[in-house]
Amino acid sequence: MRSFWRAWVAEWRHLLRSPADLALLTLFPLATIAIVASIFVGGVARQLPVAVIDQDGSAFSRGLASALAASPTLKVAITTPDAAAVLKALRGGRVVAALQIPPGAAQGLARAQSPVLTVYYNASFLSVGKLAESAIEGAVTATATPALLAHELNAVLPAVRRTLPTVQTSVLFNPQASFEGYLEAMVQPAVLHLVVACATVMALGRELRRGSLRGWARRQRNLPMALAGKMGPAVLLMGFWGAVWLIWLTGVRDWRPQGSIALAWLGQVMLFMATAAISALLVAGAKRVGTALSLTAIYAGSALAFSGGTLPLNGASWLAVGWSAVLPYPHYLALAMDQALGSPPALALRPGAVLLGYVLIAGGVACALMALARRPQPRPASDTHEAAHAAP
C-alpha cells in the first residue's frame, strides 16, 4: 500500500500546483452538469412548429388546423395548399412535421369513408419529430371521430357504420415524455466518462520521458498499486461529481429510479475505473500523449452514439454492434437503465462483471507494458566496441 499512497499524494500535490489540471476535474464537470441540467430542465417539448397542407379547404380541414393549434405540444407555423413549400420548410428545419389533408377529405367523411391523411416529419430530428407525429395523430383522431359519427347520424339511408378502433396507451416510467429524465441520464455520465479518460491520459503523459514510462515505473516498488494511486484522484473526483449529478436528478428534480440509486452510482464508479484503466493502456501502448488522446476521443467520444440509447442497434451492422460491445459505457448504461426501470439487482451482475473485467484486463496489460519498459535496455554493440577501444 505504500506505493499506492505515495503515488496518490504525488498526484494530489501536482493537482494543487496546477490550476489547469485541477480545473479539468473540478470546474469543468461542474460546468457540464449546470449546462446539461439547464438544457433539459424544461423536460417536455412544447410548441413544436408544424405545417398544415390544406388541399381540401373545407370546414373539416379548418377544424383540424384549429385542433392542431390548440394542442400544447404543437404550434401551427404554416397553413398552405402548396406541398412543395412545406417540404422546403421541412428541409430547412422551420417545421418538424406536417399534416397533409387531401382534396375531398370532407366529402369522404360525408360518404362514411375514412380519408387518408398523411403526416410527414423530419427524421433528422427523430425525437421531436415522433412527438409531433403523435400529437398530430391525437388531434386528427379527436377531430375526425365526432365528424364521422355526425355524418352517419344525419345520413338519410343507413350506411355501414365505420367505427375507429380504440387504442389505449399507457406510458410507463416516463409518462410526461420528458427529455430530462431520459436524455440527461445518458448525457451526463458520458461527459464524465470522457473527462476521466482525458485526465488519466494527461496524468500518465506527464511521466513520459523520451517516449517511455521507464523512469516513473522504475521508482515504483509495486507497479499496479502505484498505477491505481496515480489514477485514483481522477476516479474519486468523477465519482463525487457523479453523486452530485444523481442528487440533482433524483433529489431536486425528483426523477427517482424504481431500482437502487446506490447501485446506479456504483456502476458509474466502475465505469470511471474501467475508463482510467483503458486510458492507461493507451498511454503505455502508444507512448505518445497526442496519440493516446486521439484514441481516447475515438472510444470515449463515440460511446453515447453507440450505446443504443439514442439510436437503436437492432438491425445495425455487425461492425456497429461489435464496437458497442467492446466499449465500457454501453455496459454501464444497461446497468443504469435496468435500475431506472426497477429491475432486480441481480441483473446488474453481468454489466458489473464486464466493467470489472475492463479494470483487470486493461489495467493488467498496462502494468505489463510498464514493467517491460522499466527493464534496462541492452546497449548497442557499436557503443560497447567504442567503449572497449576508449579504455586505457
Side-chain angles (χ1 to χ4, degrees):
M1 290 296 292
R2 185 175 300 178
S3 297
F4 174 86
W5 290 114
R6 187 181 301 169
W8 172 275
V9 172
E11 189 64 21
W12 276 112
R13 286 177 178 173
H14 169 79
L15 291 176
L16 295 177
R17 291 195 304 263
S18 176
D21 290 344
L22 185 61
L24 176 64
L25 297 175
T26 54
L27 297 181
F28 184 75
L30 177 61
T32 60
I33 291 176
I35 292 173
V36 173
S38 63
I39 291 174
F40 297 114
V41 72
V44 183
R46 298 293 186 189
Q47 297 296 298
L48 298 176
V50 298
V52 177
I53 307 174
D54 187 0
Q55 297 174 335
D56 190 32
S58 61
F60 169 69
S61 63
R62 291 190 294 271
L64 274 180
S66 300
L68 296 181
S71 173
T73 307
L74 306 174
K75 179 181 69 174
V76 179
I78 301 174
T79 302
T80 177
D82 188 1
V86 172
L87 291 177
K88 185 177 180 180
L90 279 169
R91 294 190 188 98
R94 296 192 299 275
V95 295
V96 297
L99 172 65
Q100 183 179 19
I101 307 173
Q107 295 178 2
L109 285 176
R111 298 189 183 99
Q113 296 175 353
S114 299
V116 178
L117 308 181
T118 306
V119 178
Y120 303 96
Y121 70 89
N122 192 344
S124 300
F125 308 100
L126 184 60
S127 298
V128 293
K130 294 296 290 184
L131 284 176
E133 178 197 23
S134 299
I136 291 174
E137 289 179 351
V140 169
T141 302
T143 305
T145 302
L148 181 60
L149 294 177
H151 282 300
E152 288 184 352
L153 291 175
N154 294 330
V156 177
L157 296 177
V160 178
R161 181 172 296 274
R162 297 177 178 267
T163 58
L164 298 177
T166 301
V167 179
Q168 180 179 355
T169 303
S170 298
V171 181
L172 302 178
F173 309 113
N174 191 2
Q176 302 91 341
S178 173
F179 290 116
E180 183 179 26
Y182 178 66
L183 289 180
E184 192 173 344
M186 293 189 296
V187 173
Q188 194 59 58
V191 173
L192 298 180
H193 163 58
L194 181 59
V195 170
V196 74
C198 295
T200 305
V201 170
M202 298 304 297
L204 284 174
R206 293 193 303 267
E207 308 298 339
L208 283 172
R209 297 294 184 271
R210 297 180 182 179
S212 175
L213 290 167
R214 184 187 312 164
W216 179 81
R218 281 182 177 178
R219 295 193 298 270
Q220 313 307 322
R221 293 184 178 181
N222 190 329
L223 192 54
M225 296 303 297
L227 183 61
K230 191 164 189 64
M231 299 185 300
V235 174
L236 176 66
L237 287 174
M238 289 306 103
F240 166 77
W241 288 118
V244 170
W245 166 77
L246 280 174
I247 291 173
W248 161 259
L249 197 62
T250 62
V252 179
R253 299 299 299 166
D254 203 29
W255 285 101
R256 298 184 181 180
Q258 303 295 319
S260 172
I261 299 177
L263 194 55
W265 177 78
L266 181 60
Q268 277 196 43
V269 175
M270 295 184 67
L271 170 66
F272 300 149
M273 293 171 59
T275 304
I278 295 173
S279 295
L281 174 59
L282 294 179
V283 175
K287 300 179 181 179
R288 291 184 179 181
V289 176
T291 304
L293 283 176
S294 300
L295 295 174
T296 295
I298 293 174
Y299 93 85
S302 64
L304 184 60
F306 289 90
S307 64
T310 54
L311 295 175
L313 292 174
N314 297 332
S317 65
W318 64 268
L319 183 60
V321 176
W323 180 246
S324 175
V326 301
L327 295 176
Y329 177 78
H331 299 285
Y332 155 75
L333 188 61
L335 185 153
M337 289 303 175
D338 283 344
Q339 294 310 306
L341 299 178
S343 300
L347 290 182
L349 293 178
R350 183 179 180 276
V354 174
L355 293 175
L356 182 60
Y358 280 105
V359 176
L360 298 178
I361 297 175
V365 175
C367 289
L369 293 177
M370 294 178 191
L372 291 175
R374 70 179 177 181
R375 291 182 179 179
Q377 299 292 326
R379 300 180 62 183
S382 58
D383 294 347
T384 306
H385 182 71
E386 291 176 3
H389 280 283

